Amino acid sequence: MSDPSSSRRGAFIVFEGLDRCGKSTQVARLVDRLERESQKARLQKFPDRTTAIGKMIDAYLQSKAEMDDHAIHLLFSANRWECAAAIKRDLDRGITVIADRYAFSGIAFSAAKGLPFDFCLQPDRALPLPDLTLYMSLPQEEATQRSQFGEERYETVTMQQATRKQFRLVAEEVKKIHGGKKWMEVDARGTIEEVEERLKGLIGDLTDGVNGRVGELWV
Ligand code: Z5A
Ligand code: MG
């Protein structure tokens, strides 16, 4: 008899949150742990600055290029679309894909600049739907203490505060359209190890595989 688990696809897990909340640290630790446990997993960072579109985004974030707010928003989304087929292919092959930021950052940061929320949501419609988004929540005072803001665009207290508000609206939208289990808020305070344990508890056995097809975002 065939093993039913062999037909399971990989899980799509997204880490979201404001600047310095520890996303990249935790994503790297999760991928390392899964590799040590001989599970198939890979990291997908957004923006993916290695592609042609990613290079334009990188120049914008480093203030080496100026762009209309709508245009850069669409480029961030296009950067996800150019990675979407590879994400779906890997999930179907049983690989867990762990994303460092995704469409939710796209909405929160652009809406924080004043673009209409609905406009921000549209270009990502029908992208692969994450099975779980872990929103790492860190008070502004603690984020500021961790290290100084970098030199990139958006790395200011005013922008981060506006983005925090938009992330709350994004969370409500996810829960409304996709249900309460797809978005979980995690307390990002404490040591790296403490946060890692919290995240591990929420991820549970998701990395063992998921039944059913990959869903579509905002559909
Ligand atoms: N953006 C957008 O506008 N639209 C989009 O569609 C997308 C993104 C996808 C670049 O993102 C910008 O693009 C971002 C949003 C916008 N702008 N902002 N702000 P990025 O992902 O490339 O940004 P980043 O440079 O990787 O920074 P980050 O992601 O904000 O940081 P992080 O990954 O959350 O934190 P970290 O690098 O893991 O940790 C930061 C420091 O804290 C580091 O020194 C760690 O060692 C330390 N750390 C981590 N955890 C802890 C704990 N628990 N305790 C103490 N210290 C800790
Ligand atoms: Mg990061």
Side-chain angles (χ1 to χ4, degrees):
M1 218 165 76
S2 69
D3 173 8
S5 66
S6 63
S7 61
R8 286 184 175 187
R9 64 171 174 84
F12 185 22
I13 304 174
V14 168
F15 283 64
E16 280 285 8
L18 291 169
D19 210 36
R20 302 285 178 274
C21 67
K23 297 177 295 302
S24 298
T25 303
Q26 293 298 338
V27 161
R29 290 175 82 95
L30 176 56
V31 174
D32 281 355
R33 173 170 71 82
L34 294 175
E35 281 172 357
R36 278 199 310 277
E37 293 172 357
S38 304
Q39 299 203 51
K40 291 185 281 180
R42 77 154 171 102
L43 165 66
Q44 171 69 63
K45 188 163 169 46
F46 288 113
D48 177 349
R49 304 191 195 212
T50 64
T51 68
I53 293 170
K55 288 188 174 84
M56 292 164 76
I57 294 172
D58 185 50
Y60 173 80
L61 286 171
Q62 292 192 49
S63 299
K64 291 178 182 164
E66 291 306 316
M67 232 179 286
D68 173 78
D69 287 343
H70 303 79
I72 184 65
H73 180 76
L74 295 173
L75 285 183
F76 271 115
S77 179
N79 186 232
R80 284 183 279 280
W81 277 109
E82 62 182 350
C83 300
I87 291 175
K88 281 181 83 170
R89 181 201 60 208
D90 288 347
L91 295 173
D92 288 340
R93 286 178 181 169
I95 299 169
T96 296
V97 178
I98 299 157
D100 188 347
R101 295 193 191 271
Y102 195 50
F104 313 111
S105 276
I107 300 169
F109 280 86
S110 291
K113 288 195 289 186
L115 293 188
F117 192 86
D118 203 44
F119 168 86
C120 296
L121 192 139
Q122 293 303 329
D124 291 313
R125 189 179 292 273
L127 273 175
L129 172 68
D131 297 297
L132 176 63
T133 297
L134 294 157
Y135 177 75
M136 297 180 60
S137 170
L138 189 69
Q140 186 59 54
E141 313 80 65
E142 298 207 21
T144 313
Q145 275 167 19
R146 266 186 195 175
S147 59
Q148 288 304 305
F149 280 123
E151 297 290 310
E152 290 205 333
R153 215 183 275 262
Y154 305 156
E155 293 185 336
T156 65
V157 173
T158 318
M159 184 61 188
Q160 297 292 319
Q161 280 169 345
T163 308
R164 187 182 296 273
K165 285 189 193 147
Q166 294 300 330
F167 264 126
R168 280 195 211 111
L169 300 178
V170 171
E172 282 171 24
E173 199 70 16
V174 172
K175 288 172 189 167
K176 191 172 84 189
I177 296 181
H178 299 297
K181 292 186 179 156
K182 297 276 188 219
W183 181 283
M184 289 188 192
E185 185 164 331
V186 190
D187 185 354
R189 292 173 298 179
T191 65
I192 289 173
E193 291 74 19
E194 284 167 346
V195 178
E196 186 177 24
E197 273 309 302
R198 265 174 232 144
L199 290 162
K200 199 174 165 187
L202 291 173
I203 293 166
D205 60 6
L206 199 53
T207 51
D208 292 344
V210 177
N211 290 315
R213 294 161 67 102
V214 184
E216 294 186 329
L217 185 62
W218 308 131
V219 173

